[in-house]
Amino acid sequence: MSDPGQESMTRREIGSWWSTGVIRIAPGEIEPRGYPVQELIGQASFVDTVWLMLRGELPDPRQSRLLEAALVAAVDHGPQAPSIAAARMAATCGVGLNSAVATGVNLLGDVHGGAGQQCVELLERMAALRAGDAPVDRVAADEVAGYRARGEYVPGFGHRFHPRDPRRDPLLGLVGAAVEEGVVPGGPLESALALEAALSEGRARPVPMNVDGATAVVYASLGFPAELARGLFVLSRSVGILAHAWEEHGSGARIKGPLPRSVLAEYTGPPTRHVPADRGA
């Protein structure tokens, strides 16, 4: 017997279980954010559609170009990147292409893949401090001092491989042009440049922005929340992961580990020893 106090759910209540403002689906109808998909096809670019799905409206073409530049910049950084290497190894182990891509994407966490989000958070914090009329140079110096006191890296600056990240200048140049045209506010770029100057103060070698810092400037300037900055990085890098997984899949190699078969990992445990003869007595 059913509980007399329990009412049956209506069709409307069932439909509201996964209610969404992202897309409307009906027989013969598909409308992302209210736009008929047949009107988007051929008229809106993929980047336009990314913006539409995340923000709810189609972007200004200048906003779209700036977002596209950031997505292109972070698409790949070679097999030495752990996410790429993991996807390539997975592709040699007999898993499907989707599993190989998922393996790589799942390595993008706080340490490998999270610096962009962390840099946007830093830029947002600086914006709040600057809203109180604090000079940007002082805010930047205080932030850098705080990171150094905690023994932490300032996210988005310096690179273990590139003395100067080749993706920095074109991205910042595009942001600078967008600021001059009134497309985006200038605050994030000003804050990032002030951080760069504060980090290089008193050093023989400067500490320029890396791709995480430069794309963080783009995302913050375009008004994307910090957590979406990581999501957009994952979207970008997944293209490189897919390309590498597909290349390795086509190589015919089987079960490639992290080291060539002729190289063994260094052993640091105790020397060879024998189980005592009387152990079973």
Side-chain angles (χ1 to χ4, degrees):
M1 246 181 109
S2 61
D3 184 349
Q6 183 179 7
E7 299 180 3
S8 61
M9 295 183 71
T10 66
R11 182 179 294 273
R12 184 179 182 85
E13 288 171 331
I14 295 170
S16 68
W17 183 256
W18 288 117
S19 61
T20 176
V22 173
I23 192 166
R24 187 182 74 82
I25 300 292
E29 299 176 355
I30 303 172
E31 295 186 356
R33 299 289 191 181
Y35 289 99
V37 72
Q38 62 269 27
E39 296 180 16
L40 293 172
I41 295 170
Q43 296 192 67
S45 70
F46 180 68
V47 174
D48 290 339
T49 308
V50 169
W51 183 293
L52 173 65
M53 296 296 282
L54 295 176
R55 304 286 285 269
E57 296 294 341
L58 287 166
D60 177 288
R62 297 170 298 178
Q63 294 172 320
S64 181
R65 286 194 294 271
L66 193 55
L67 175 59
E68 184 175 45
L71 293 173
V72 168
V75 75
D76 191 11
H77 199 252
Q80 70 271 20
S83 53
I84 301 292
R88 294 190 73 115
M89 282 193 288
T92 70
C93 294
V95 301
L97 192 60
N98 61 312
S99 295
V101 171
T103 298
V105 167
N106 283 336
L107 263 66
L108 298 173
D110 287 343
V111 175
H112 174 42
Q117 174 181 342
Q118 295 154 14
C119 189
V120 173
E121 290 169 350
L122 171 55
L123 296 175
E124 290 175 343
R125 187 165 64 248
M126 291 181 67
L129 294 169
R130 292 180 63 190
D133 294 329
V136 64
D137 292 344
R138 192 182 75 199
V139 172
D142 289 345
E143 286 291 335
V144 169
Y147 277 95
R148 285 174 172 165
R150 296 188 297 271
E152 298 173 353
Y153 291 106
V154 179
F157 294 83
H159 202 285
R160 60 186 173 79
F161 188 77
H162 302 292
R164 186 178 183 86
D165 195 317
R167 298 162 288 189
R168 175 204 179 277
D169 293 350
L171 285 174
L172 297 191
L174 290 169
V175 175
V179 170
E180 291 180 3
E181 295 171 7
V183 179
V184 297
L189 178 59
E190 292 171 357
S191 292
L193 291 174
L195 284 167
E196 197 172 61
L199 275 165
S200 299
E201 183 83 28
R203 295 176 60 99
R205 294 179 59 185
V207 186
M209 260 177 271
N210 56 36
V211 69
D212 297 310
T215 53
V217 174
V218 172
Y219 297 141
S221 299
L222 290 172
F224 284 98
E227 194 162 1
L228 271 184
R230 185 187 302 205
L232 289 166
F233 173 78
V234 171
L235 179 64
S236 170
R237 184 53 59 88
S238 66
V239 177
I241 290 171
L242 173 62
H244 280 273
W246 179 243
E247 180 182 59
E248 198 65 62
H249 175 77
S251 73
R254 288 172 54 85
I255 315 179
K256 286 177 70 173
L259 297 173
R261 292 182 178 86
S262 60
V263 179
L264 297 177
E266 181 183 1
Y267 174 67
T268 60
T272 301
R273 48 187 171 167
H274 302 284
V275 177
D278 60 352
R279 180 168 175 80

